[in-house]
Each structure stands twice: as structure tokens, then as C-alpha cells.
């Protein structure tokens, strides 16, 4: 299983604890070091590699049984490209599962970055779709999206 944007390895380690063969990728060496420590403390086997989810992934086609991304997709400048690349590295028909926070309007600490979308000094990005309009943005990756009844998204 591939954990895209694994950060400190919280999800990857839990998946490994439950028996998954996990590889986590992230661009932050500090977060990858934290993920390795977390895995060692939990006494689980998981690989953590430096890779950028916004670039072509360094893996062969269909090399993973599934891909997950917890709280990373929302910062990608082109989330469709990230999902398409995740879809490439999983087996045909395998799941690509993501989780993001609520809409930007409900996360004021992202509001400033969103307003500065065209700023040349901006070094990270926030993406959102119109509420309840996920299907319009993701048909190219073949994903199936469900509505979260609690949030209405």
C-alpha cells in the first residue's frame, strides 16, 4: 500500500500495525524521519521514501495493491494529476482513498493562502472544488466519490 504525503507516518504505521505492507512518501525529510521513528517505536515494518506527490512517482505501474492519502491531497496544486498518478501505481481496479479537511471556508488558516493563489512568493497551495461537486473534477481518474453525511460534502 502506498501512503501519498505520509508526513509523520501516523496512517502508514497504523496500516502496518494491521498487517499492510506500506510504503510512505513525503517531501519533508524531517517528517520522514519522524515516520521512521514512529514505525520503530510501534515495532512495525514500513518503508518511508523522499518523493514529491506532485511529480511522477518513482514506482512502476500497478506496483501497489492500494493507495491512501490523509490530509495531503488538499495542498496539491493539481489534485487530479496526483490522483491520476496514484491510480497509475496501483493495480487495475485497486482503491485510491483520500481524506481532506473541511472546505477552505471552514479552515480560516488556509484562507490567506487561497486568497494569495497567484502570489509568486507562495510556496504551497490550497485546492478545493465547489461543495458537493467532486464528480465534476475527478472523472479522469475513474474515482468513485461518496458524500459525507455529517459534513454534507
Amino acid at each position: 500500500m502506498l501512503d501519498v504525503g505520509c508526513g509523520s507516518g501516523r496512517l502508514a504505521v497504523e496500516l502496518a500495525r494491521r498487517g499492510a505492507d506500506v510504503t510512505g512518501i513525503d517531501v519533508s525529510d524531517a517528517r520522514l524521519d519522524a515516520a521512521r521513528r514512529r514505525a520503530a517505536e510501534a515495532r512495525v515494518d514500513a518503508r518511508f521514501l523522499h518523493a514529491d506527490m506532485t511529480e511522477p512517482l518513482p514506482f512502476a505501474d500497478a506496483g501497489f495493491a492500494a493507495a491512501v492519502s490523509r490530509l495531503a491531497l488538499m495542498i496539491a496544486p493539481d489534485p487530479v494529476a496526483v490522483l491520476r498518478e496514484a491510480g497509475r501505481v496501483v493495480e487495475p481496479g485497486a482503491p485510491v482513498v483520500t481524506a481532506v479537511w473541511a472546505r477552505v471556508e471552514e479552515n480560516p488558516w488556509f484562507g490567506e493562502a487561497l486568497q494569495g493563489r497567484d502570489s509568486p512568493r507562495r510556496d504551497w497551495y490550497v485546492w478545493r472544488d465547489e461543495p458537493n461537486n467532486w464528480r465534476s473534477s475527478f472523472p479522469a481518474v475513474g474515482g468513485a466519490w461518496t458524500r459525507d453525511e455529517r459534513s454534507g460534502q
Side-chain angles (χ1 to χ4, degrees), residues 2-123:
L2 178 64
D3 185 355
V4 178
C6 68
S8 65
R10 195 174 305 262
L11 178 59
V13 168
E14 183 59 32
L15 292 168
R17 185 179 284 129
R18 294 172 185 239
D21 180 11
V22 182
T23 297
I25 63 166
D26 205 282
V27 293
S28 169
D29 289 329
R31 303 316 299 156
L32 290 167
D33 288 344
R36 290 180 188 107
R37 284 192 304 275
R38 184 184 301 273
E41 289 168 6
R43 293 186 172 99
V44 298
D45 186 29
R47 285 181 10 172
F48 296 99
L49 307 173
H50 187 276
D52 187 340
M53 71 179 176
T54 67
E55 300 290 330
L57 297 176
F59 306 111
D61 294 355
F64 293 94
V68 296
S69 182
R70 177 181 168 266
L71 307 178
L73 185 65
M74 64 191 177
I75 63 170
D78 186 353
V80 173
V82 173
L83 288 170
R84 189 176 293 118
E85 187 63 3
R88 178 189 68 78
V89 301
V90 299
E91 297 167 354
V96 174
V97 180
T98 68
V100 296
W101 286 332
R103 297 178 306 193
V104 169
E105 294 86 351
E106 297 173 32
N107 293 285
W109 50 90
F110 284 135
E112 184 177 324
L114 182 63
Q115 291 170 3
R117 164 174 265 152
D118 297 322
S119 168
R121 296 187 57 175
R122 197 171 129 180
D123 61 356

Side-chain angles (χ1 to χ4, degrees), residues 96-98 134-135 138-139 141-147:
V96 174
V97 180
T98 68
W134 294 100
R135 285 178 182 84
F138 296 106
V141 295
W145 298 91
T146 60
R147 178 182 170 93

